[in-house]
Amino acid sequence: MKAVLFDMDGVLFDSMPYHAEAWHQAMTAHGFTFSRAEAFLHEGRTGAGTINIVSLRERGKEASPEEIQQIYAEKSEAFNRFPEVKPMAGAWKVLQKVKAAGLIPMIVTGSGQSSLLERLDKYFPHTFVPERMVTAFDVKHGKPDPEPYLMALQKGGLTADEAVVVENAPLGIQSAVAAGIFTIAVNTGPLSDDVLLDAGADLLFHSMNELSERWNEIDR
Ligand code: CA
């Protein structure tokens, strides 16, 4: 094992409740039915992908590019009105264990939220560098496509069996598993464990604190 690939929202930052609320507000304002719980099921998908799935379901056609842009802009504005997102409890402890073990921490996120990307350095100093990050700006397909994780392997000069992934969302788990990487689920949200295990997770913990406490079981 050489590297640990971390998802960002719901793993390193406790940001998912804000994302879910922001999605609910923006979609509802445009006449769609979209619960906060559904936002957790779509977590990791691109904004356009999420909007089109719901539009096809409720209108029988995809949303126009203009509407997609408008909804996503409103969602981002709503997200940014919330108080500052805090790091996930236990995330810094996990990162310190990863670094102490000589492993390379990388980030693989579907997020293009610049406020969070800038905050990485504040809460997790001297940990992540842009060359070892895959964000919404890098990928074409996004999770659950394996592209983001395959790109991370390429950026890190890694084979699939030299890395492990830490993910909280079903689509993120699917993406990592499709890239052939050992995947640890951390269930930090409202979905049942079964949803994450059915997505293909190899191991499951219920918090980053629990992952930190049981790190020795993985690092061998
Ligand atoms: Ca996530």
Side-chain angles (χ1 to χ4, degrees):
M1 187 157 79
K2 291 184 181 170
V4 183
L5 315 184
F6 290 92
D7 171 51
M8 187 169 77
D9 291 290
V11 169
L12 297 178
F13 287 117
D14 192 6
S15 46
M16 273 312 296
Y18 292 169
H19 280 296
E21 180 62 33
W23 268 117
H24 170 69
Q25 288 179 13
M27 296 289 259
T28 305
H30 284 260
F32 292 114
T33 305
F34 194 84
S35 68
R36 297 161 188 86
E38 186 176 1
F40 282 88
L41 286 173
H42 288 286
E43 184 188 345
R45 211 187 286 287
T46 62
T50 302
I51 293 162
N52 274 330
I53 283 172
V54 177
S55 182
L56 279 167
R57 180 181 73 204
E58 303 198 348
R59 296 175 178 170
K61 60 174 178 155
E62 295 197 337
S64 69
E66 294 75 27
E67 189 176 28
I68 289 172
Q69 200 179 19
Q70 185 63 30
I71 295 173
Y72 195 70
E74 289 173 25
K75 184 261 166 181
S76 297
E77 280 166 30
F79 180 84
N80 287 326
R81 278 196 299 271
F82 289 116
E84 184 171 320
V85 167
K86 297 297 179 207
M88 186 64 74
W92 182 230
K93 282 194 281 183
V94 171
L95 287 169
Q96 283 171 303
K97 290 200 173 178
V98 164
K99 291 200 281 185
L103 302 170
I104 299 164
M106 295 181 69
I107 284 191
V108 183
T109 178
S111 173
Q113 200 87 39
S114 53
S115 56
L116 284 188
L117 294 169
E118 285 159 15
R119 220 162 283 159
L120 281 169
D121 232 24
K122 173 177 168 184
Y123 288 113
F124 312 116
H126 311 298
T127 303
F128 299 106
V129 292
E131 304 83 70
R132 297 194 196 111
M133 288 174 55
V134 174
T135 73
F137 305 109
D138 297 298
V139 297
K140 202 189 297 177
H141 300 297
K143 303 168 185 178
D145 193 279
E147 183 191 18
Y149 281 104
L150 291 174
M151 192 176 283
L153 294 177
Q154 193 182 26
K155 278 196 177 190
L158 303 160
T159 60
D161 58 4
E162 289 172 337
V164 298
V165 165
V166 182
E167 263 284 354
N168 72 307
L171 298 182
I173 292 165
Q174 283 179 33
S175 166
V177 169
I181 310 171
F182 188 91
T183 303
I184 300 166
V186 181
N187 192 1
T188 59
L191 302 177
S192 76
D193 290 352
D194 284 345
V195 175
L196 304 185
L197 293 169
D198 290 348
D202 296 287
L203 270 180
L204 184 140
F205 298 104
H206 294 97
S207 66
M208 290 297 273
N209 273 316
E210 188 187 2
L211 173 58
S212 162
E213 283 152 20
R214 295 175 61 185
W215 181 256
N216 294 343
E217 295 170 31
I218 295 147
D219 184 24
R220 60 182 176 199

Coordinates of all heavy atoms in Angstrom, one line a residue, residues 146 149 165 172-183 199-202:
P146 N -15.7 5.2 -13.1 CA -14.4 5.0 -12.5 C -13.4 6.1 -12.8 O -12.3 6.1 -12.2 CB -14.0 3.6 -13.0 CG -14.7 3.4 -14.2 CD -16.0 4.1 -14.1
Y149 N -11.3 8.0 -10.0 CA -10.3 7.2 -9.3 C -9.2 6.7 -10.2 O -8.0 6.6 -9.8 CB -11.0 6.0 -8.5 CG -11.6 6.6 -7.2 CD1 -13.0 6.8 -7.1 CD2 -10.8 7.0 -6.2 CE1 -13.5 7.4 -6.0 CE2 -11.3 7.5 -5.0 CZ -12.7 7.7 -4.9 OH -13.2 8.3 -3.8
V165 N -9.3 3.4 -0.8 CA -10.2 4.5 -0.9 C -11.0 4.7 0.3 O -11.4 3.7 0.9 CB -11.1 4.4 -2.2 CG1 -12.3 5.3 -2.1 CG2 -10.3 4.5 -3.5
G172 N -19.8 7.0 -5.0 CA -18.4 7.1 -4.8 C -17.8 5.7 -4.6 O -16.7 5.4 -5.2
I173 N -18.5 4.9 -3.8 CA -18.0 3.5 -3.6 C -18.0 2.8 -4.9 O -17.0 2.1 -5.3 CB -18.9 2.8 -2.6 CG1 -18.6 3.5 -1.2 CG2 -18.6 1.3 -2.5 CD1 -19.7 3.1 -0.1
Q174 N -19.1 2.9 -5.7 CA -19.2 2.2 -7.0 C -18.0 2.7 -7.9 O -17.5 1.8 -8.6 CB -20.5 2.6 -7.7 CG -21.7 1.9 -7.2 CD -23.0 2.3 -7.9 OE1 -23.0 2.6 -9.1 NE2 -24.1 2.4 -7.2
S175 N -17.7 4.0 -7.9 CA -16.6 4.5 -8.7 C -15.3 3.8 -8.4 O -14.5 3.4 -9.2 CB -16.6 6.0 -8.6 OG -15.4 6.5 -9.1
A176 N -15.0 3.8 -7.1 CA -13.7 3.3 -6.6 C -13.6 1.8 -6.9 O -12.6 1.3 -7.3 CB -13.6 3.6 -5.1
V177 N -14.7 1.1 -6.6 CA -14.7 -0.4 -6.9 C -14.5 -0.7 -8.3 O -13.8 -1.6 -8.7 CB -16.0 -1.0 -6.3 CG1 -16.2 -2.5 -6.7 CG2 -16.1 -0.9 -4.8
A178 N -15.2 0.1 -9.2 CA -15.1 -0.1 -10.6 C -13.6 0.2 -11.1 O -13.2 -0.3 -12.1 CB -16.0 0.8 -11.4
A179 N -12.9 1.0 -10.3 CA -11.5 1.3 -10.7 C -10.6 0.2 -10.1 O -9.4 0.2 -10.2 CB -11.1 2.7 -10.1
G180 N -11.2 -0.8 -9.4 CA -10.4 -1.9 -8.9 C -9.7 -1.7 -7.6 O -8.8 -2.4 -7.2
I181 N -10.1 -0.7 -6.8 CA -9.4 -0.3 -5.6 C -10.1 -0.8 -4.4 O -11.4 -0.7 -4.3 CB -9.2 1.3 -5.5 CG1 -8.7 1.8 -6.9 CG2 -8.3 1.6 -4.4 CD1 -8.7 3.3 -6.9
F182 N -9.4 -1.2 -3.4 CA -10.0 -1.6 -2.1 C -10.7 -0.4 -1.4 O -10.0 0.6 -1.3 CB -8.9 -2.2 -1.1 CG -9.4 -2.8 0.1 CD1 -9.7 -4.1 0.2 CD2 -9.6 -2.0 1.3 CE1 -10.2 -4.7 1.4 CE2 -10.1 -2.5 2.5 CZ -10.4 -3.9 2.5
T183 N -11.9 -0.6 -1.1 CA -12.7 0.6 -0.7 C -13.3 0.5 0.7 O -14.0 -0.4 1.0 CB -13.9 0.8 -1.7 OG1 -13.3 0.9 -3.0 CG2 -14.7 2.1 -1.4
A199 N -23.2 -1.3 -2.6 CA -22.4 -0.5 -3.6 C -21.1 -1.2 -3.8 O -20.4 -0.8 -4.8 CB -22.3 0.9 -3.2
G200 N -20.7 -2.0 -2.9 CA -19.4 -2.8 -3.1 C -18.3 -2.5 -2.1 O -17.2 -3.0 -2.3
A201 N -18.6 -1.8 -1.0 CA -17.6 -1.5 0.0 C -17.0 -2.8 0.5 O -17.7 -3.7 0.8 CB -18.2 -0.6 1.1
D202 N -15.6 -2.8 0.7 CA -14.9 -3.9 1.3 C -15.0 -3.9 2.8 O -14.9 -5.0 3.4 CB -13.5 -3.9 0.8 CG -13.4 -4.1 -0.7 OD1 -13.6 -5.2 -1.2 OD2 -13.1 -3.1 -1.4

